[in-house]
Amino acid sequence: MLVDSPPEAPPEATTAPPPGAPRRRRLTRSVGLAASVVLLAAVTVLGIVVGAKQIPLDQVWHGLFHYSGSDTDVVIRDVRLPRTLLGVLVGAALGLAGTVMQALTRNPLADPGVLGINAGASAAVVTAISFFGVTSLTGYVWFAFLGAAVVNVAVYVLGGTRGATPVRLALAGTALTAVLTGYLNAVNLLDNAALDKMRFWTVGSLATATMPNVIRIAPFLAVGALLALLLARPLNALALGDDQARALGTGLLRTRVLAMLAITLLCGGATAVCGPIVYVGLMVPHAVRALTGPDMRWILPYSAVLSPVLLLGADVLGRVVARPGELQAGIVTAVIGGPVFIYLVRRRRMAQL
């Protein structure tokens, strides 16, 4: 007996995006990016105006544009201005580094602090100070680059290279961070002369910023930022998988090497000048993706603009809540970022169940 086959289901209707939707999306992203730049400008002004010592706006203006050498002018021009400029540079560097790391490893939990890159740079800097007598930024910045590069490669290798998963990479970074922290503590116990420097690189701070150091570190961070922004299209292709990226003509080895070079310049330079500051490169890209979607051509510029907003905001908050003293920016970002990191881990676990 023949049984009639069931009628074929009609093909699903494909709904094309309404006309003009891509243009409206680009316009929305452009307006959002412009608003982010305005927000960064406002926080930058706040970083110069607000501090442990209250200074009227007219005196702030005088210190910036009519410098006379008074105590107030010195605070504005020689303390708060370099500190704020350094916050902008380091914030952008950490945001770009975290974004590139997340795209390169396909690990949404990647961050220079979580994966131990900052710890590697810190360990190398303290080694330079304690064992080689290096005391200037131009000397130990190269050690910071070396430490960041070594840990960058080590985490990727320990995580399983191509088979690396977010959990394995996070565990590798945590293990290396624990080892490097033990090494830093040992150096601290053996060399009292490095104690002050150790405090600085343990917590991360903008408080010791000087204009010469800002000028010295700016070229390294600028090269790393430019390299990260130029990798937007290859990283978009890499997100589709190695086979698809290769079919689109993306050089996988070249993209990975250049991405790791950008991460090394950005993390090593930022850590050399202000110590390890964690979670900035983790939190901002996650918030940005809610606005831009997965396109790295938009995520990278947004992260470069909004990450300094977070870091400067943390620095200003640290100055205000502990007057007349202050909390280091690294402590504030850790307090904010810790719960965010736990939330992201729990959300990923629930999504996998």
Side-chain angles (χ1 to χ4, degrees), residues 38 54 64-65 88 132 138 145 159 161 169 171 173 176 221 224 235 238 242 244 249 251 280-281 287 289 330:
V38 173
Q54 294 184 354
L64 289 175
F65 300 105
V88 173
F132 297 99
T138 52
F145 291 145
T161 60
L169 288 170
L171 289 175
L176 285 174
L221 300 184
L235 290 174
L238 201 63
D242 288 1
Q244 187 67 25
V280 173
R289 286 190 191 92

Side-chain angles (χ1 to χ4, degrees), residues 94 111-113 115-123 148 151 267-268 270-271 275-279:
L94 294 176
D111 171 80
L115 296 190
I117 311 299
N118 288 345
S122 298
V151 174
C267 294
T271 303
I277 296 178
V278 297
Y279 294 127

Side-chain angles (χ1 to χ4, degrees), residues 288-306:
V288 164
R289 286 190 191 92
L291 301 172
T292 66
D295 192 344
M296 295 294 293
R297 294 173 299 177
W298 288 99
I299 297 176
L300 286 166
Y302 265 90
S303 296
V305 174
L306 291 177

Side-chain angles (χ1 to χ4, degrees), residues 63-107:
L64 289 175
F65 300 105
H66 306 285
Y67 186 82
S68 63
S70 66
D71 292 343
T72 300
D73 289 353
V74 169
V75 170
I76 296 299
R77 180 77 70 88
D78 298 336
V79 178
R80 290 188 187 176
L81 180 60
R83 181 172 184 162
T84 302
L85 293 177
L86 185 63
V88 173
L89 292 176
V90 169
L94 294 176
L96 287 171
T99 304
V100 173
M101 289 179 71
Q102 292 174 15
L104 181 65
T105 62
R106 298 176 196 144
N107 176 12

